[in-house]
């Protein structure tokens, strides 16, 4: 996967993270279901960036567990 595509995964992950923070902190009544959704999306995109940066193929999935298992094969720590 190209470096540009990896950077795009990271950029989108950061945008999700920043959006989740704004929603969690910026109102008197946070919209927690959206904060959780954006947090999941952020983690998913970081995992996909990690896999891509290490040359691993990954399926089209939203499963953090599946992506994490693939990542653990590359870095079992």
């Amino acid at each position: 996967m190209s470096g540009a595509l990896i950077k795009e995964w990271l950029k989108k992950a950061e945008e999700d993270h920043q959006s989740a923070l704004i929603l969690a902190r910026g109102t008197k009544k946070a919209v927690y279901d959206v904060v959780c959704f954006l947090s999941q999306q952020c983690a998913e995109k970081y995992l996909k960036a990690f896999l891509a940066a290490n040359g691993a193929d990954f399926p089209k999935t939203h499963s953090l567990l599946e992506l994490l298992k693939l990542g653990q094969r590359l870095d079992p720590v």
Side-chain angles (χ1 to χ4, degrees):
M1 204 170 276
S2 75
L5 195 50
I6 294 165
K7 286 181 182 179
E8 188 65 24
W9 280 116
L10 294 172
K11 179 179 178 263
K12 292 292 186 183
E14 278 299 312
E15 289 172 353
D16 288 343
H17 180 246
Q18 290 302 315
S19 297
L21 288 176
I22 289 167
L23 287 173
R25 297 178 181 163
T27 63
K28 289 182 181 181
K29 192 171 185 179
V31 186
Y32 292 112
D33 60 333
V34 179
V35 172
C36 290
F37 172 77
L38 289 169
S39 299
Q40 185 277 339
Q41 289 289 293
C42 175
E44 177 185 332
K45 290 168 186 161
Y46 274 128
L47 284 167
K48 288 179 177 179
F50 173 79
L51 292 168
N54 285 279
D57 292 325
F58 51 88
K60 184 175 183 178
T61 183
H62 297 292
S63 171
L64 295 180
L65 184 58
E66 187 175 349
L67 294 169
L68 184 59
K69 285 179 181 178
L70 291 171
Q72 285 177 322
R73 292 181 191 160
L74 299 168
D75 186 1
V77 174

